[in-house]
């Protein structure tokens, strides 16, 4: 950080694991796609000596079994872990995908980290998704800093980007978002732009020059001093405003010159408390250089200003049964409490779990208790089992290095935990614990799939189980109404990655088919019908006649069967047979092949034969009677209606309400959500919102989110119903 010694740890410290939480920093990188997060991680790894040349960041990452997918899609699709060491401090960098479909990976990174680096491109500025994530981090008090990248891009402006960050991210206290350094520019090019050649430390008033590819320190040029003085005064005032030393402001206003050491200490404390958010600049190292612009300064901020795991706190814990347990501390000697934040598979090693140790010390070959609850609806069944921990490892250099233990606050890879899934808690056998889960978004894009061949069908179940076990943002559903196998995803990119993982990792090829919604039928008016099943062809015959009436019932009533036969016209033993036949026909459907619901069927009369009547005959007669009723009446096609709540920034409320209306939705109301956001509640037919997760993201530029829940079935409009019946090969109506 500004004013600190510029020690370079080099590669010597890479192999040593942290032995105390105070020697750890866990940092997650957050930002939209193409902001430069992965490039920044590579620059930091190069500056620290974790890698020896650019382009080899994969040498110090783990869980990178999807590199082929990432190269093909030209985007990160998974959480990556890069450990490095600086000034004797172990830094665990967590690089997260910037695309909204992979928000589950982002939330896993937020769970495992104690501070966040928001990466903002000087060419693109602050997008809406970054604003939302900033507010989420603010809500839980996570310390944050901002790194501005792409300084040499066309139209890039560090000062304007900093002002945008103050405006968009500063909230009620924009003065807490202040740069620590100013870019120094070289000679102007022909197009009028000037390359960034160094950084000027505002507190030290020193220039860190990278003109010749190496970092050298000197005094700034005379022409830079006026701008430096103005920015320095603003920074000092912001630091003092957040200082815990109440007398510092009085001394400053009284004309006393605050020494740099005091300012740096107060700055670091304010950053660690999450009330001050410094802005830095960074650029990759040029060819042949070992340090990129701003990497040393950023590493010093991380080691000096970001909190240790001891300072950040631990999520609350209970027993697996839900009984409260005392709050834990980040103590290597405390009870074991660790969490699986990411699960992946290696074709040679098998399942690999990335684990954050919150309390205690995790050691190889010990037996731990694995608790997992809360996501059974997504294919993650509740379980309380004991498993033996396999080898512990961390990516160091070009290979996975075995580590002897992982202390509280550290990250580690654990091999071959057969039952542990993402979000599960690892604890001691004698004191099993369950950590409060982190918020996981609901997958809202349905993808109906079928096995491509018989060979794929044999492997499909196991492949899907492993896929869902690794990704809690995915939900697998065997729809009982449509009989489709549905994979619920976050978006189209998430879908593509899931299907590619099935193919490349689990050897299962699937085909996507049109997703169906659970339509139903009901009677629009009362009707009567007669079912006659009489056959005589020698030997034992079949004889059953029954007369029924059908009348519609309110939604949600199901099928109600009433017996009003008098005089024994239908013998008592055959009345259940009529009901069974009616219900079987109702399940098969009438006009369009969709289940019949919400009617009362009344058996009023019939005839039987002393010899030829049977259970099967009366079942058939009951079904025929119901079909005759349908032939004489108008049937309504019922469609499922969902109640949705769409939360968007105020600027998009009008567009969202108009779009919902175009989807045959009925807006129920609006209410203020978070600052600058509005929640719109509406009822919308489910057939109209199959792709709403994708459409809303496009409409709101990635800032909108929504929830849905089944409300009821309602009659489908006549024209829409006619199209559905035509597609099913049925007449528009039956009378």
């Amino acid at each position: 950080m500004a004013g600190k010694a510029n020690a370079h740890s080099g590669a010597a410290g890479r192999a040593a694991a942290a032995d105390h939480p105070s020697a750890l920093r866990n940092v997650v990188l957050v930002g939209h796609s193409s902001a430069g997060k992965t490039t920044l991680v590579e620059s930091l790894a190069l500056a620290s000596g974790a890698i020896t040349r650019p382009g080899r960041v994969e040498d110090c990452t783990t869980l990178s079994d999807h590199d082929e997918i990432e190269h093909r899609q030209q985007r990160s699709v998974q959480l990556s872990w890069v450990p490095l060491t600086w000034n004797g401090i172990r830094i665990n960098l967590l690089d997260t995908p910037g695309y909204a479909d992979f928000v589950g990976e982002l939330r896993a990174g937020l769970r495992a980290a104690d501070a966040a680096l928001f990466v903002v491109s000087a060419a693109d500025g602050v997008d809406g998704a970054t604003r939302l994530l900033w507010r989420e981090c603010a809500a839980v008090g996570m310390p944050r800093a901002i790194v501005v990248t792409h300084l040499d891009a066309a139209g890039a402006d560090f000062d304007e980007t900093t002002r945008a960050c103050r405006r968009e991210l500063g909230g009620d206290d924009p003065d807490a978002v202040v740069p620590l350094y100013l870019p120094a520019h070289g000679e102007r090019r022909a197009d009028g732009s000037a390359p960034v050649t160094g950084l000027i430390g505002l507190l030290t008033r020193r220039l860190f020059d990278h003109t010749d590819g190496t970092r050298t320190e000197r005094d700034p040029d005379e022409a830079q001093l006026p701008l430096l003085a103005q920015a320095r005064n603003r920074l000092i005032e912001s630091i003092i405003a957040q200082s815990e030393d109440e007398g510092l402001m009085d001394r400053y206003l009284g004309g006393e010159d605050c020494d740099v050491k005091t300012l740096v200490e107060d700055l670091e404390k304010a950053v660690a408390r999450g009330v001050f958010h410094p802005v830095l600049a960074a650029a990759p190292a040029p060819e042949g250089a070992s340090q990129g612009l701003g990497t040393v300064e950023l590493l010093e901020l991380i080691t000096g200003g970001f909190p240790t795991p001891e300072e950040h706190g631990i999520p609350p814990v209970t027993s697996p049964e839900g009984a409260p347990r005392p709050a834990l501390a980040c103590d290597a000697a405390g009870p074991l409490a660790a969490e699986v934040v990411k699960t992946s598979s290696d074709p040679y090693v098998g399942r690999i779990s990335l684990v954050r140790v919150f309390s205690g010390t995790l050691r190889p070959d010990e037996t731990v208790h694995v608790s997992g609850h809360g996501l059974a609806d997504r294919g993650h069944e509740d379980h309380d089992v004991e498993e033996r921990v396999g080898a512990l490892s961390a990516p160091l250099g070009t290979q996975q290095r075995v580590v002897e233990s992982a202390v509280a606050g550290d990250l580690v890879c654990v091999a071959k935990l057969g039952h542990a899934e993402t979000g599960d808690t690892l604890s001691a056998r004698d004191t099993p614990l369950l950590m409060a889960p982190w918020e996981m978004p609901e997958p809202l894009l349905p993808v109906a799939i079928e096995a491509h061949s018989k060979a794929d069908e044999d492997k499909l179940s196991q492949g899907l189980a492993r896929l869902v076990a690794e990704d809690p943002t995915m939900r697998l559903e065997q729809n009982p109404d449509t009989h489709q196998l549905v994979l619920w995803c976050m978006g189209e990119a998430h879908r593509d990655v899931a299907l590619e993982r099935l193919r490349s990792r689990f050897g299962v090829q699937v085909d996507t088919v049109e997703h169906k919604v659970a339509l139903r039928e009901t009677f629009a008016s009362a009707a009567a019908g007669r079912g006659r099943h009489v056959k005589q062809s020698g030997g034992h015959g079949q004889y059953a006649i029954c007369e029924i009436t059908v009348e519609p019932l309110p939604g949600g009533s199901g099928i109600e069967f009433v017996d009003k036969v008098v005089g024994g016209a239908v013998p008592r033993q055959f009345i259940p047979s009529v009901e069974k036949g009616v219900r079987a026909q109702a399940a098969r459907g009438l006009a369009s092949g969709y289940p019949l619901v919400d009617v009362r069927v009344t058996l009023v009369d019939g005839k039987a034969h002393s010899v030829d009547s049977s259970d099967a005959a009366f079942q058939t007669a009951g079904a025929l009677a119901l079909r005759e009723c349908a032939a004489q009446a108008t049937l309504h096609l019922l469609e499922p209606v969902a109640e949705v709540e769409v939360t968007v920034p105020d600027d998009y409320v009008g567009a969202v309400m108009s779009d919902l209306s175009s989807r045959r939705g009925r807006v129920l109301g609006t209410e203020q959500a978070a600052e600058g956001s509005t929640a719109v509640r509406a009822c919308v037919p489910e057939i109209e919102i199959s792709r709403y997760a994708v459409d809303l993201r496009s409409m709101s530029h990635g800032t909108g989110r929504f929830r849905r829940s089944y409300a009821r079935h309602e009659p489908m409009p006549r024209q829409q119903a006619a199209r559905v019946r035509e597609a099913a090969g049925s007449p528009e109506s039956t009378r």
Side-chain angles (χ1 to χ4, degrees):
M1 190 178 297
K4 284 195 170 184
N6 185 19
H8 188 292
S9 64
R14 284 191 290 129
D19 57 3
H20 193 274
S22 61
L24 288 164
R25 304 291 186 274
N26 298 311
V27 183
V28 61
L29 279 77
V30 179
H32 65 77
S33 292
S34 74
K37 298 185 298 298
T38 302
T39 302
L40 179 60
V41 169
E42 181 179 276
S43 297
L44 295 174
L46 182 66
S48 69
I51 59 176
T52 56
R53 68 183 191 277
R56 299 302 303 171
V57 71
E58 67 270 17
D59 289 345
C60 55
T61 62
T62 190
L63 304 169
S64 56
D65 56 324
H66 309 311
D67 286 342
E68 181 183 344
I69 300 175
E70 294 189 339
H71 288 316
R72 183 162 50 254
Q73 296 210 0
Q74 296 296 306
R75 65 162 71 99
S76 296
V77 301
Q78 62 170 344
L79 176 69
S80 296
W81 168 34
V82 178
L84 50 90
T85 302
W86 184 261
N87 289 339
I89 301 295
R90 162 81 167 266
I91 302 173
N92 292 316
L93 294 178
L94 294 159
D95 183 16
T96 63
Y99 197 65
D101 277 16
F102 308 104
V103 66
E105 303 282 329
L106 168 63
R107 295 194 185 281
L110 291 171
R111 178 69 160 203
D114 303 308
L117 278 178
F118 277 74
V119 183
V120 177
S121 169
D124 301 324
V126 181
D127 68 330
T130 300
R131 290 195 297 270
L132 291 176
L133 289 170
W134 181 274
R135 291 170 185 166
E136 284 189 27
C137 291
V140 298
M142 176 172 279
R144 286 145 285 151
I146 300 167
V147 183
V148 179
T149 59
H150 298 162
L151 297 172
D152 286 340
D157 188 327
F158 177 82
D159 294 334
E160 178 56 36
T161 303
T162 300
R163 285 191 289 270
C165 290
R166 289 166 60 86
R167 182 175 61 252
E168 302 291 344
L169 307 179
D172 296 332
D173 191 7
D175 290 335
V177 180
V178 185
L180 296 184
Y181 301 86
L182 293 181
H185 297 274
E187 296 183 2
R188 290 194 176 277
R189 304 185 182 103
D191 61 0
S193 63
V196 178
T197 58
L199 296 174
I200 306 173
L202 295 182
L203 293 182
T204 60
R205 287 180 282 206
R206 298 288 289 171
L207 171 62
F208 303 100
D209 194 359
H210 288 256
T211 303
D212 60 358
T214 60
R215 185 177 184 269
T216 58
E217 183 178 345
R218 63 178 177 85
D219 289 331
D221 299 334
E222 194 73 24
Q224 297 169 327
L225 294 179
L227 186 61
L228 170 61
Q230 181 182 2
R232 186 176 191 271
N233 290 336
R234 184 185 301 117
L235 172 61
I236 292 175
E237 292 173 2
S238 298
I239 294 173
I240 292 175
Q242 304 296 340
S243 174
E244 295 178 324
D245 183 355
E246 297 180 357
L248 185 60
M249 178 63 78
D250 295 334
R251 298 197 300 273
Y252 175 74
L253 294 176
E256 182 178 329
D257 189 17
C258 301
D259 67 279
V260 172
K261 181 180 179 182
T262 299
L263 291 173
V264 169
E265 290 175 351
D266 284 347
L267 185 154
E268 291 175 343
K269 292 176 182 177
V271 171
R273 298 199 323 270
V275 297
F276 186 81
H277 316 294
V279 181
L280 298 90
E287 184 69 28
S290 62
Q291 292 178 347
L293 181 79
T295 53
V296 171
E297 291 77 11
L298 185 52
L299 288 167
E300 290 180 350
L301 172 68
I302 292 172
T303 54
F306 280 171
T308 69
E310 295 171 302
E311 299 173 88
H312 188 236
I314 295 178
V317 295
T318 65
S319 71
E321 296 77 25
R325 288 286 185 265
L328 297 176
C330 184
D331 182 2
L336 177 64
E339 190 169 38
V340 179
V341 295
K342 169 72 178 174
T343 309
S344 187
S345 295
D346 185 275
Y348 304 104
V349 180
R351 180 176 292 189
I352 300 176
S353 302
L354 177 59
V355 174
R356 162 74 192 255
V357 183
F358 286 95
S359 173
T361 300
L362 184 65
R363 296 180 176 85
D365 298 324
E366 68 176 332
T367 301
V368 298
H369 188 273
V370 180
S371 302
H373 300 285
L375 291 174
D377 62 324
R378 302 191 191 181
H380 301 258
E381 298 298 331
D382 294 355
H383 53 265
D384 290 294
V385 297
E386 292 183 355
E387 287 201 70
R388 185 171 181 173
V389 174
L392 305 183
S393 63
L396 298 168
T398 58
Q399 55 186 288
Q400 295 287 319
R401 304 279 183 88
V402 174
V403 297
E404 296 180 357
S405 62
V407 300
D410 207 354
L411 299 174
V412 70
C413 285
V414 183
K416 298 181 179 180
L417 285 177
H419 292 87
E421 301 177 355
T422 300
D424 285 359
T425 303
L426 310 183
S427 56
R429 298 170 61 184
D430 53 348
T431 55
L433 300 172
L434 181 65
M435 304 194 81
W438 70 82
E439 182 183 355
M440 197 58 66
E442 182 73 19
L444 294 167
L445 179 68
V447 182
I449 58 175
E450 293 178 350
H452 182 70
S453 66
K454 180 62 170 67
D456 294 311
E457 188 173 343
D458 296 337
K459 297 181 291 184
L460 181 59
S461 177
Q462 183 180 6
L464 287 172
R466 293 173 64 183
L467 185 71
V468 173
E470 295 177 8
D471 189 351
T473 63
M474 197 173 292
R475 176 162 59 91
L476 184 63
E477 173 193 31
Q478 181 72 59
N479 192 296
D481 296 314
T482 64
H483 308 292
Q484 284 188 316
L485 188 62
V486 182
L487 198 60
W488 289 82
C489 303
M490 298 298 300
E492 291 176 316
H494 191 211
R495 172 202 63 195
D496 294 343
V497 168
L499 299 184
E500 178 61 22
R501 287 177 183 172
L502 273 177
R503 184 195 64 79
S504 61
R505 252 200 301 150
F506 305 128
V508 181
Q509 184 78 32
V510 298
D511 299 322
T512 59
V513 296
E514 182 182 359
H515 175 251
K516 301 176 182 178
V517 298
L519 301 178
R520 297 171 185 170
E521 294 177 324
T522 194
F523 277 70
S525 58
R530 185 172 188 263
R532 183 177 185 275
H533 182 62
V534 178
K535 288 188 178 182
Q536 186 69 49
S537 57
H540 190 71
Q542 300 180 50
Y543 189 97
I545 298 175
C546 63
E547 297 179 8
I548 64 171
T549 61
V550 178
E551 54 188 311
L553 293 178
S557 300
I559 301 289
E560 182 180 327
F561 185 83
V562 179
D563 169 26
K564 287 190 176 180
V565 174
V566 295
V570 177
R572 306 307 305 171
Q573 69 268 27
F574 293 132
I575 291 176
S577 303
V578 177
E579 179 179 0
K580 188 175 181 180
V582 166
R583 292 187 179 276
Q585 183 63 56
R588 291 192 296 268
L590 296 168
S592 306
Y594 298 108
L596 178 71
V597 295
D598 303 334
V599 293
R600 177 185 292 121
V601 179
T602 304
L603 177 62
V604 295
D605 202 358
K607 292 182 180 180
H609 189 275
S610 59
V611 176
D612 292 339
S613 291
S614 65
D615 169 71
F618 272 99
Q619 285 190 44
T620 303
L624 292 172
L626 185 61
R627 285 157 61 180
E628 184 172 304
C629 289
Q632 299 175 6
T634 299
L635 298 184
H636 278 164
L637 195 59
L638 303 178
E639 61 180 341
V641 174
E643 186 169 325
V644 302
E645 181 178 291
V646 187
T647 304
V648 290
D650 294 340
D651 294 343
Y652 300 108
V653 171
V656 166
M657 294 178 68
S658 176
D659 179 73
L660 290 174
S661 297
S662 71
R663 298 172 186 268
R664 298 190 285 122
R666 298 190 302 276
V667 176
L668 304 178
T670 62
E671 58 187 37
Q672 193 67 29
E675 179 184 356
S677 297
T678 299
V680 180
R681 292 182 297 105
C683 285
V684 191
E686 288 191 6
I687 201 170
E688 301 285 352
I689 56 173
S690 290
R691 286 180 46 84
Y692 193 62
V694 178
D695 297 338
L696 176 63
R697 184 177 302 153
S698 174
M699 188 190 324
S700 64
H701 298 279
T703 60
R705 60 187 186 275
F706 81 104
R707 295 182 297 176
R708 61 186 285 176
S709 59
Y710 169 77
R712 59 193 170 273
H713 271 71
E714 289 184 354
M716 183 180 286
R718 183 180 180 86
Q719 291 183 339
Q720 183 80 14
R723 287 195 294 268
V724 172
R725 288 190 170 113
E726 182 180 355
S730 304
E732 180 180 343
S733 62
T734 58
R735 291 188 180 277

